[in-house]
Amino acid sequence: MIYPEYIQPVSLTDLWGKFPQDKKIYFLAGGTDLFNYLRDGLIDASSSCFVDISLLKQLDGITEESENIRIGALTTFSTISESGLLKKYCPDLVAAAKVLGTPQIANRATIGGNIGNASPAGDALPSLAAHFAKAEVANSKGSRLLNISDVFAGPKKTTLANGEIITAVVIPKIKVKAGFTVVGTFKKIGGRKSHIIAKASVAVFAVVKNKSVDYISVALGAVGPKIIEVRNISKILSGKKVSPELTEKCKDEIRKIASPIDDFRSTAEYRQEVICPLFEQALNEIVKD
Amino acid sequence: MKKTLSKNNFHSVGNSVIRNDVIEKVTGTAKYIDDYKFGDMLYGATVRATVPHGNIKSFNSALALKIDGVIAVYTYKDVPGKNEVPFILNDYPLLASDKVLFHGQAIALVVAKTPEIAKFAAKKVEVTYQELPAINDVHQSLKKDAVKIFGNDNIFKRYDIIRGDAENVFEKAAVVVEGKYTTNYQVHAYLETQGMVADPQPDGSIVIYGSMQCPFYIHDAIVHILNVPQNKVRIVQTTTGGAFGGKEDVPSIVAAHAALAAYLSKKPVKIIYSREEDFQAMSKRHPSYIEMKYAADKKGKITAAQVRYILDGGAFSTLSPVVLWRGAVHAAGPYNIPNVKIEAICAATNKVPCGAFRGFGQPQTTFANESLIDELAVKLNISPLELRRINMMKVGSRTATGQKITRSCGLEKVIKQVVQKSDWNKIYLSPEKRTGTIRTGIGIAASFYGVGLGAGGKYLDRAGSYVQVQKDGTVIIAIGNTELGQGVFTVISQIAAEMLGCPYNFVRVLKTDTTRVPDSGPTVASRSTLMSGNAVRNAAGIIRLRIDKMVLEMLNVKSGAVKSNGKNYFLSSDPKKKVRYQDVVKKCYGKRINLTSNGWYAGEDVTFSQETGQGNAYYTYSYSATAAIVKVNTETCEVSVEKLVSGHDIGKALNPQLCEGQIEGGVIQSLGYALTENLIIKNGIMLNPSFAGYLIPTSSDIPEIIPVIVEEPYHDGPFGAKGLGEPPMITPATAIANAIYNATGWRTDKLPVTPEVLLDIKKHLWKKI
Amino acid sequence: MEKNIKFILNGKEVEVTVHPVKTLLKVLREDLGHTEVKAGCEQGECGSCTVIIDGKIVNSCIFPVGQAEGSSIITIAGLCKEGELHPIQKIFIEEGAVQCGFCTPGIILAVKVLLDRTLSPGDEEIREAVSGNLCRCTGYSKIFSAIKKAAVYMRTKK
């Protein structure tokens, strides 16, 4: 068996000095995607280096900052699905974490990995996009914040340079008016009821008082080459009461912006058809009297 | 936990005793083939075709042979016997010689010191091809000007069944309905992939261990390929991690590969398939294309059925001829129809060869006939239940092959119980009365199932056994059928205990081994309880006669009927006169009485005319019906199955809990077949050969399941038992499709009925309006 | 580039010298002889290779052994105490929740983690707990009833 080169840094500072110059760097966290790429020959072991970041404990965990919620890249989806902090600020992300995969996968898969893997069907991504979250990307010279959508170059491709690492996700905290509450959910349609890659998904995040919307943000997954933010929905609903008419307007926006494709999991036609009912289900679940 | 169905006069059979292979399974100590290690063992990996159809232009293993740890690369040139896997038509080469007919076909074997090296080296073997046009489906295959990949017409096998004069009846019929149906592949998805170890012996013989259903098929294959006498080959089954038909035919290929490598390298060789390889190269349920017509009079009496039934066999025929036969014989449905015309064809395509899968052609034909029966009910404006009641098989009915049903027919009872337990009358409402985004629907499908191989494989329908009572009273049994998880070893033990009069837990069934009993045919077709059960009943009965004689002697009576409660023997006429089982055994040994016997059973005679398709196709039938309750989201076209009530007339439930297990497992495989399992092969290449892409049901997809058992005993079955393994897979998918229709008015002519398919139907209907 | 890796396996310290990217599944089966951990897909999809690491279930087939350093791992072999079956094992037997047995070790470990967390699991929780363990034989029905019964048994015996 040919294995890739393997290094296991114990701290972030330790990280940079160790990279082999001539190899493609893969950061190994939970390994839930990486091992399949290795097995399927999508990673050439002999010219690759796995950098095991599992000992970088400073990259693990969810913390509240004055303006943001910070989720370390190594935070697993089972941690996210049980986080009180995220239930308060990002209920949609919690909902996504709950349906992301099997318990075994949720115990291992990390939010950093979900972003780095850059799948348009990645379950955490619509929610992060809906929150205008930023990925903290680091290299030996320092770190910078990138909009989640700017991390993606296309399906399974990122804009990150070889050796650059996602260290955290930073989610701005929303201001909540008195009497209003933060709500959010994530819905997906897959080929079966659980443990499934999305054919279409939607994250809705809002600040509401019953049916009155102060703020809303919606993003779609698996209906385009990248995650799609539906910014016009905020214009339609902010400061208004959700009504069937306005919901229809939102759906029109979604229809306009979705650009799904055919693949072996589903058809463009089906994805286009269900993304609106899916949005409506999500909206009705969180915005109600 | 003891559960019995009805009043049970037996001490062993009819009880839900716990399985006799279960301790090792819950502790993880059970040994499956990959858990075996032999000294000096080598590992095999298969070089596979990377094009769906082509001539092999060049083959170069030099690079692979240079890799450290690679021992040899074997090709068809190294096969000492015949380079063909013997199934029925012998068209499948063990290793491709000059051409390949499907993507994934085996071309060569790499043998190396570790499995990783073998797999790595297999990728380094260079094969070049002159690509040829590939046949992607049966319609293409059957065109006159199609490329020929089998014989001069691409037809593996054809059957015609003609009863009465269907064509004439259709012309004059009051009502005619017709439909065209397609079903896709289904993958067995047993959790343990295929695997074998071949262990060459100093005397030139060879032992094969592995995951399998049919050791005697493998025995024949090894003899054929190595050109050795039959007594030099021994096949031993290891604990097998699921099979469902997928380990009936194709394990012969895996075993023959391992045997060839072991024979040539003179070392034990292990071959374990990866999941992807298992998907790509092992057999599948045949995709089908079926055109079907029913004619009926105004009162709903079906007067004629006409079926054109086409199976996509893939690149090689394997068991396609017999799969085709079973489907054809049952294609008109479980109804008494005087005029039937069935045309059945299995055609070759450049795709993975299809073979045996639980249901064996019947899930496909059932989808056609049970969908069309519902259409007929709509057209006649009578309920789908009433239409089935009018036409269903009863004692006195005749099947499509003209066979008169003379006994053991519980279809009416099955349907009655299924209707009652599904609350049919409360839930049923015609589709146009259903409203709302999420709509409930209920549907039913029924079927009959010829137990055993029938006239299609009658010379294989026999079984042997060996029973030996040990000095302490414990019992050893050998049979020729295999334990696949279904629980046959437990049932066999129950039968032996009942016959011998000993406690069930005294009986041990040995791992199936071809050197212990004669060729007993395959472990398929729901035949094991009946065939091996009767063979054991035969052997144990012989021993019991000797025991009874000794009991009378010990009780000092000259004659009388001896009975047993599983602990003691007693006189039927005077139950107080009793003697302990172990004491009798001890006494027999002391008196040098032989407490060992072989047993044998051959099924009743069956017939089938190749010309007319008429005859007594099977000696008995099991009957089944399933009611499905679904919820359909009319916006997203998602279907959620809420409840499945599946009823089965199986003659006698020898172990009710195991029977329930067969029903529950089968209906969920059928649920997957109905909704989510969708293997996609595009231009000969499989696009989703993994559990991530091919979706079998998970725990989240499981509805409430109500298994229903009906007992209409078969006089020649062990304690009345017929067969159960396959029927639970046959009706549920169509019941679900019919329930979707009932919920929405959307009639699918395709399985699986994915949301994408339903959306298509919905849009099509809207256009019509 | 092999490495010395130590961890606790079923309560006993073990040490292996292997490449850290080798999967835990292969190390357990090949290097440590723990064939009770099954390889069903080696793609992280079927759950046959499930083990418990530090109280959580994972697929050992996609777990690099390098990350096992210092952890505590339980396989199905670690469930029997002095030859006595764990109540979950006993009840799986009674309820007929086992057929071919290939998925059984993984499922029982998933159930153990569930029942370590709660002895009153709801229906949805039960489904969720074993949703990463494919079973092709049983239709899951008897697995659900075994889990419910095991929970009741363990609750009342506690």
Side-chain angles (χ1 to χ4, degrees):
Chain A
M1 178 85 189
I2 299 175
Y3 289 106
E5 190 177 335
Y6 174 86
I7 53 177
Q8 195 180 33
V10 292
S11 72
L12 261 181
T13 43
D14 183 39
L15 184 70
W16 309 116
K18 289 193 169 177
F19 289 174
Q21 288 307 307
D22 51 343
K23 294 207 164 164
K24 174 100 175 89
I25 303 297
Y26 292 93
F27 293 101
L28 170 62
T32 51
D33 288 314
L34 217 45
F35 268 79
N36 285 332
Y37 297 160
L38 184 62
R39 189 204 54 244
D40 293 344
L42 299 176
I43 291 176
D44 173 25
S46 56
S47 64
S48 303
C49 175
F50 278 14
V51 179
D52 183 343
I53 54 172
S54 62
L55 298 182
L56 308 182
K57 294 300 168 201
Q58 67 269 46
L59 301 190
D60 192 2
I62 303 158
T63 44
E64 183 169 8
E65 297 169 347
S66 59
E67 299 293 313
N68 300 306
I69 303 292
R70 184 187 169 85
I71 309 175
L74 278 180
T75 310
T76 65
F77 285 97
S78 40
T79 304
I80 289 171
S81 67
E82 281 159 19
S83 159
L85 208 51
L86 290 177
K87 277 175 195 162
K88 187 173 162 197
Y89 290 104
C90 310
D92 43 313
L93 183 60
V94 172
K98 282 186 173 157
V99 298
L100 172 117
T102 67
Q104 287 90 330
I105 297 292
N107 283 338
R108 293 285 294 160
T110 63
I111 192 147
N114 207 247
I115 299 168
N117 190 37
S119 163
D123 282 339
L125 306 179
S127 175
L128 295 179
H131 282 272
F132 303 100
K134 289 184 171 21
E136 185 184 81
V137 174
N139 58 31
S140 57
K141 294 178 190 103
S143 70
R144 65 186 191 276
L145 290 175
L146 271 180
N147 288 330
I148 288 293
S149 56
D150 294 337
V151 175
F152 303 115
K156 308 253 167 178
K157 285 199 180 76
T158 69
T159 56
L160 271 53
N162 191 36
E164 285 193 318
I165 183 174
I166 297 163
T167 47
V169 184
V170 180
I171 302 176
K173 289 197 286 194
I174 193 84
K175 303 232 161 28
V176 184
K177 272 195 203 164
F180 281 72
T181 48
V182 170
V183 291
T185 192
F186 172 80
K187 295 276 169 198
K188 74 170 164 180
I189 284 187
R192 64 183 167 205
K193 288 184 187 169
S194 75
H195 182 194
I196 190 68
I197 293 169
K199 291 176 183 176
S201 64
V202 59
V204 183
F205 166 64
V207 179
V208 298
K209 185 168 153 190
N210 300 325
K211 282 200 167 179
S212 299
V213 176
D214 180 47
Y215 175 85
I216 187 162
S217 180
V218 176
L220 315 173
V223 289
K226 293 161 82 171
I227 302 301
I228 298 170
E229 295 156 17
V230 199
R231 300 202 179 208
N232 286 347
I233 287 181
S234 152
K235 290 182 196 152
I236 296 167
L237 288 180
S238 292
K240 308 232 175 65
K241 251 186 154 175
V242 171
S243 66
E245 295 72 35
L246 291 180
T247 304
E248 282 309 312
K249 277 193 174 176
C250 295
K251 283 158 75 177
D252 287 341
E253 290 301 323
I254 288 173
R255 270 185 215 108
K256 265 190 252 162
I257 201 168
S259 59
I261 54 156
D262 282 341
D263 63 10
F264 77 85
R265 288 183 217 284
S266 190
T267 59
E269 186 190 24
Y270 179 75
R271 289 177 159 123
Q272 182 72 34
E273 182 79 16
V274 298
I275 190 68
C276 286
L278 204 58
F279 160 74
E280 198 169 355
Q281 272 179 32
L283 188 68
N284 290 342
E285 182 182 302
I286 55 176
V287 185
K288 55 194 169 192
D289 286 322
Chain B
M1 192 190 64
K2 298 260 176 184
K3 254 201 271 185
T4 54
L5 266 186
S6 49
K7 192 162 174 285
N8 189 24
N9 294 319
F10 304 106
H11 62 81
S12 174
V13 299
N15 295 320
S16 293
V17 300
I18 64 162
R19 311 173 58 98
N20 50 14
D21 59 353
V22 74
I23 303 284
E24 58 266 39
K25 285 178 174 174
V26 297
T27 54
T29 54
K31 281 178 86 169
Y32 301 81
I33 188 59
D34 198 22
D35 304 335
Y36 284 81
K37 265 189 188 171
F38 292 76
D40 276 350
M41 188 160 75
L42 301 175
Y43 298 84
T46 313
V47 179
R48 297 189 179 280
T50 52
V51 299
H53 190 196
N55 291 320
I56 296 176
K57 268 184 10 193
S58 71
F59 178 90
N60 184 358
S61 57
L63 215 59
L65 284 164
K66 275 188 204 146
I67 295 166
D68 195 29
V70 172
I71 306 295
V73 178
Y74 299 122
T75 68
Y76 73 97
K77 291 178 189 156
D78 300 301
V79 178
K82 288 190 178 141
N83 181 39
E84 56 190 25
V85 192
F87 293 118
I88 295 172
L89 302 175
N90 294 6
D91 54 322
Y92 200 152
L94 182 68
L95 294 167
S97 54
D98 55 339
K99 61 174 179 180
V100 293
L101 293 187
F102 77 96
H103 178 266
Q105 187 181 342
I107 297 173
L109 291 169
V110 176
V111 180
K113 287 183 175 167
T114 72
E116 286 81 13
I117 295 171
K119 278 176 189 164
F120 180 75
K123 290 203 173 120
K124 300 287 173 194
V125 173
E126 296 161 311
V127 187
T128 60
Y129 308 88
Q130 176 205 359
E131 277 203 65
L132 299 169
I135 299 174
N136 290 316
D137 64 52
V138 287
H139 304 294
Q140 204 183 338
S141 175
L142 293 172
K143 277 187 188 148
K144 280 219 171 82
D145 58 352
V147 181
K148 297 295 177 275
I149 57 171
F150 183 85
N152 53 20
D153 57 4
N154 288 337
I155 292 178
F156 286 134
K157 187 71 192 175
R158 180 192 171 104
Y159 289 104
D160 290 283
I161 294 172
I162 298 159
R163 173 166 143 74
D165 185 358
E167 279 173 26
N168 193 30
V169 174
F170 273 105
E171 276 177 29
K172 296 168 190 159
V175 182
V176 174
V177 284
E178 54 192 305
K180 292 176 183 173
Y181 302 89
T182 56
T183 63
N184 197 5
Y185 289 95
Q186 189 176 22
V187 181
H188 303 81
Y190 31 68
L191 265 293
E192 181 206 26
T193 57
Q194 305 272 356
M196 294 282 167
V197 176
D199 185 21
Q201 303 296 304
D203 65 355
S205 69
I206 194 160
V207 188
I208 309 284
Y209 301 89
S211 185
M212 65 182 76
Q213 279 177 255
C214 307
F216 299 100
Y217 283 5
I218 294 173
H219 187 265
D220 289 347
I222 306 300
V223 165
H224 196 78
I225 276 144
L226 296 185
N227 190 27
V228 293
Q230 294 198 330
N231 69 354
K232 292 264 180 161
V233 178
R234 178 180 167 217
I235 317 295
V236 183
Q237 188 211 8
T238 51
T239 302
T240 295
F244 320 117
K247 291 173 183 170
E248 171 172 3
D249 43 4
V250 284
S252 293
I253 303 171
V254 189
H257 284 164
L260 176 69
Y263 182 87
L264 296 171
S265 68
K266 300 188 164 45
K267 295 268 175 64
V269 174
K270 183 193 262 191
I271 297 179
I272 305 289
Y273 279 12
S274 71
R275 181 57 63 183
E276 185 183 21
E277 187 175 26
D278 201 293
F279 263 85
Q280 284 173 341
M282 295 289 94
S283 74
K284 308 280 170 282
R285 185 185 305 290
H286 296 75
S288 74
Y289 171 76
I290 303 173
E291 293 171 7
M292 178 135 197
K293 268 161 86 172
Y294 277 129
D297 64 20
K298 281 181 185 156
K299 288 180 180 162
K301 174 79 192 106
I302 301 173
T303 50
Q306 191 171 322
V307 189
R308 184 171 145 84
Y309 164 47
I310 302 172
L311 288 182
D312 180 344
F316 299 106
S317 63
T318 68
L319 294 175
S320 287
V322 284
V323 174
L324 184 72
W325 186 76
R326 176 178 281 279
V329 163
H330 294 86
Y335 306 107
N336 190 26
I337 307 172
N339 302 286
V340 180
K341 182 171 185 273
I342 297 165
E343 177 192 7
I345 291 169
C346 182
T349 58
N350 290 112
K351 295 182 289 182
V352 61
C354 294
F357 194 151
R358 193 179 202 174
F360 219 69
Q362 283 194 246
Q364 292 95 317
T365 56
T366 296
F367 175 57
N369 79 61
E370 288 299 280
S371 296
L372 192 60
I373 282 282
D374 266 31
E375 289 286 276
L376 180 59
V378 172
K379 199 153 182 183
L380 287 162
N381 197 23
I382 58 179
S383 92
L385 289 184
E386 184 56 22
L387 183 61
R388 285 179 174 85
R389 274 191 208 112
I390 295 169
N391 294 286
M392 71 183 150
M393 282 181 179
K394 303 179 183 87
V395 169
S397 301
R398 282 188 188 271
T399 68
T401 67
Q403 178 175 4
K404 191 170 182 181
I405 302 296
T406 56
R407 62 206 173 203
S408 181
C409 178
L411 184 57
E412 194 169 2
K413 281 189 195 167
V414 166
I415 291 180
K416 200 175 163 190
Q417 289 206 35
V418 164
V419 165
Q420 189 209 332
K421 292 192 177 168
S422 62
D423 280 330
W424 180 283
N425 295 325
K426 270 190 216 155
I427 296 168
Y428 185 81
L429 205 63
S430 59
E432 55 281 5
K433 291 183 187 147
R434 309 260 189 208
T435 52
T437 303
I438 294 177
R439 297 183 193 177
T440 298
I442 186 165
I444 191 166
S447 138
F448 71 132
Y449 174 90
V451 179
L453 303 172
K458 67 191 250 183
Y459 298 105
L460 296 176
D461 232 352
R462 69 301 196 238
S465 72
Y466 172 74
V467 178
Q468 187 191 96
V469 180
Q470 310 266 303
K471 283 180 293 211
D472 62 356
T474 59
V475 181
I476 276 185
I477 292 185
I479 56 168
N481 285 127
T482 46
E483 173 62 64
L484 309 167
Q486 82 280 46
V488 69
F489 280 13
T490 302
V491 168
I492 288 297
S493 302
Q494 289 180 267
I495 292 171
E498 191 67 48
M499 291 301 296
L500 292 169
C502 72
Y504 154 75
N505 59 11
F506 273 37
V507 185
R508 177 177 163 227
V509 181
L510 300 173
K511 288 257 182 286
T512 308
D513 177 336
T514 53
T515 59
R516 295 194 205 275
V517 294
D519 187 342
S520 298
T523 299
V524 302
S526 311
R527 68 189 285 274
S528 303
T529 295
L530 181 65
M531 302 302 297
S532 282
N534 273 337
V536 165
R537 191 166 67 151
N538 173 235
I542 292 167
I543 298 169
R544 179 66 185 268
L545 285 178
R546 298 173 195 153
I547 287 177
D548 283 359
K549 210 171 149 197
M550 182 57 68
V551 170
L552 293 178
E553 200 180 309
M554 289 169 77
L555 293 174
N556 284 320
V557 290
K558 281 217 176 74
S559 63
V562 176
K563 286 204 161 177
S564 164
N565 59 10
K567 287 177 195 140
N568 300 307
Y569 296 104
F570 55 88
L571 282 183
S572 182
S573 53
D574 183 3
K576 277 181 214 148
K577 279 199 173 262
K578 60 179 183 183
V579 53
R580 213 168 70 101
Y581 165 74
Q582 283 101 318
D583 294 339
V584 182
V585 171
K586 205 172 162 191
K587 193 83 173 174
C588 286
Y589 267 90
K591 295 237 171 177
R592 296 182 292 176
I593 305 288
N594 178 13
L595 292 187
T596 300
S597 179
N598 293 312
W600 189 250
Y601 177 74
E604 292 185 279
D605 195 32
V606 281
T607 54
F608 183 80
S609 155
Q610 292 289 335
E611 287 74 42
T612 61
Q614 296 297 289
N616 291 336
Y618 292 91
Y619 34 77
T620 192
Y621 295 85
S622 289
Y623 298 85
S624 68
T626 299
I629 297 166
V630 304
K631 284 201 166 123
V632 183
N633 182 323
T634 53
E635 283 184 345
T636 63
C637 299
E638 290 172 293
V639 175
S640 172
V641 180
E642 303 292 304
K643 193 193 255 195
L644 289 168
V645 183
S646 194
H648 298 269
D649 163 28
I650 58 168
K652 164 87 183 163
L654 298 179
N655 183 319
Q657 190 187 58
L658 288 176
C659 291
E660 287 172 11
Q662 284 301 291
I663 296 171
E664 291 158 356
V667 303
I668 294 308
Q669 283 180 2
S670 193
L671 181 148
Y673 186 52
L675 299 177
T676 63
E677 297 185 27
N678 201 17
L679 189 71
I680 297 173
I681 298 181
K682 206 171 173 186
N683 299 325
I685 314 283
M686 206 177 278
L687 298 186
N688 50 344
S690 74
F691 285 146
Y694 181 82
L695 308 177
I696 69 170
T698 74
S699 57
S700 305
D701 300 290
I702 306 308
E704 181 186 359
I705 308 169
I706 302 179
V708 177
I709 295 167
V710 168
E711 296 181 322
E712 280 291 328
Y714 168 50
H715 71 285
D716 209 31
F719 305 93
K722 300 193 277 194
L724 175 64
E726 297 202 89
M729 173 67 227
I730 295 173
T731 53
T734 310
I736 290 167
N738 285 342
I740 292 170
Y741 173 80
N742 181 248
T744 58
W746 303 342
R747 165 67 60 195
T748 177
D749 57 4
K750 281 192 191 75
L751 285 186
V753 49
T754 59
E756 288 79 5
V757 168
L758 279 181
L759 176 65
D760 218 41
I761 300 168
K762 174 179 155 180
K763 291 203 156 172
H764 185 72
L765 280 183
W766 282 353
K767 274 178 202 153
K768 267 207 296 198
I769 296 163
Chain C
M1 206 217 54
E2 295 192 332
K3 213 181 142 191
N4 197 281
I5 297 156
K6 281 187 205 164
F7 52 89
I8 311 285
L9 179 59
N10 296 331
K12 288 194 187 116
E13 192 174 277
V14 294
E15 190 173 346
V16 286
T17 306
V18 291
H19 194 286
V21 177
K22 189 169 185 177
T23 65
L24 177 62
L25 170 69
K26 288 202 166 174
V27 171
L28 289 171
R29 287 183 59 85
E30 294 169 6
D31 300 276
L32 295 166
H34 279 260
T35 56
E36 73 274 16
V37 189
K38 300 297 176 200
C41 69
E42 295 188 76
Q43 299 171 327
E45 293 292 336
C46 78
S48 301
C49 67
T50 298
V51 298
I52 302 174
I53 299 188
D54 296 331
K56 288 182 173 166
I57 47 172
V58 304
N59 293 314
S60 63
C61 72
I62 49 171
F63 189 103
V65 69
Q67 293 185 2
E69 173 72 42
S71 63
S72 172
I73 298 176
I74 298 172
T75 73
I76 192 77
L79 235 59
C80 291
K81 290 272 154 18
E82 288 138 24
E84 175 81 2
L85 294 179
H86 189 280
I88 300 169
Q89 291 171 311
K90 282 187 198 164
I91 292 164
F92 263 61
I93 291 175
E94 280 175 21
E95 286 293 298
V98 178
Q99 288 190 29
C100 88
F102 202 80
C103 70
T104 307
I107 290 194
I108 290 178
L109 290 172
V111 175
K112 183 185 184 294
V113 168
L114 169 73
L115 298 185
D116 283 347
R117 192 174 69 228
T118 169
L119 288 176
S120 316
D123 285 356
E124 277 313 305
E125 243 174 315
I126 287 173
R127 282 162 186 266
E128 166 67 20
V130 294
S131 65
N133 297 79
L134 296 178
C135 169
R136 189 61 156 169
C137 296
T138 65
Y140 305 93
S141 203
K142 297 205 183 304
I143 292 172
F144 297 156
S145 54
I147 298 171
K148 281 178 207 161
K149 204 171 154 186
V152 172
Y153 176 88
M154 289 165 72
R155 203 161 66 216
T156 49
K157 291 279 153 164
K158 224 176 176 182

